[in-house]
Amino acid sequence: MQIAQNSVVAFHYTLTNDAGEVLDSSEGREPLTYLHGAGNIIPGLEKELEGKASGDKLIAKVSAEEGYGEVQDQLVQEVPRDAFQGVESIEPGMQFQAQTQGGPLMVTVTSVEGDTVTVDGNHPLAGQNLNFDVEITDVREASQEEIEHGHVHGPEGHQH
Ligand code: ZN
């Protein structure tokens, strides 16, 4: 069957940037499973998979805009070291959950200078064009319960 609204799709992928560097891959893991049309995956990839079928292979090119968004300068902020109470040592690459007006946001420490810590709330893949080398391994119809929950149930999905 073809991928449409409320299809449950399983696919293998290798994600590269425009420089050809591999950013992520499902190789050696179970395929990624998602509920189509529910916003489970980035919009640009969902659009490219629409209408495809099990066994199909494709290269899906997704712009930053339809991927993880453009880099937003205002998400890079300097915060005082005091804001990290209870954390013994802070190093670049560490991730923290920050409370913002728009809700919780995962931020990554990019530099530490004296009492000033710079954090970046952009997604690590923001601002990058993404190239997904995709092989669709399974397409089935979602159950009523999956549609109501907006996600996939079963071995590779939510357990509850
Ligand atoms: Zn559920």
Side-chain angles (χ1 to χ4, degrees):
M1 61 181 279
Q2 288 185 317
I3 297 173
Q5 182 76 32
N6 297 331
S7 294
V8 170
V9 183
F11 66 97
H12 275 295
Y13 68 94
T14 296
L15 169 60
T16 54
N17 60 17
D18 281 346
E21 294 168 313
V22 175
L23 304 174
D24 191 15
S25 173
S26 65
E27 202 178 310
R29 290 189 268 149
E30 293 295 325
L32 184 72
T33 304
Y34 79 99
L35 175 62
H36 192 82
N40 291 172
I41 61 171
I42 55 172
L45 181 57
E46 193 160 55
K47 202 193 285 180
E48 292 287 323
L49 290 171
E50 178 97 23
K52 300 293 190 296
S54 183
D56 282 0
K57 293 181 181 180
L58 64 144
I59 306 272
K61 289 187 173 295
V62 177
S63 66
E65 196 185 354
E66 289 192 299
Y68 293 97
E70 300 293 351
V71 172
Q72 298 179 60
D73 293 338
Q74 71 269 26
L75 293 181
V76 179
Q77 293 194 334
E78 293 187 344
V79 289
R81 174 67 180 84
D82 296 348
F84 298 85
Q85 287 186 6
V87 184
E88 273 181 36
S89 82
I90 297 182
E91 287 166 26
M94 290 174 81
Q95 292 193 312
F96 296 92
Q97 182 131 305
Q99 298 304 323
T100 70
Q101 287 179 336
L105 178 71
M106 191 62 86
V107 301
T108 305
V109 174
T110 54
S111 79
V112 183
E113 284 177 42
D115 286 335
T116 303
V117 179
T118 304
V119 297
D120 186 348
N122 288 290
H123 189 280
L125 297 178
Q128 299 209 48
N129 293 326
L130 306 171
N131 306 293
F132 290 90
D133 192 335
V134 173
E135 180 176 1
I136 299 163
T137 58
D138 190 49
V139 181
R140 67 168 169 86
E141 257 175 72
S143 69
Q144 196 56 42
E145 193 185 44
E146 286 172 322
I147 293 167
E148 281 167 14
H149 287 202
H151 55 230
V152 176
H153 291 165
E156 311 311 329
H158 279 244
Q159 308 288 339
H160 66 148

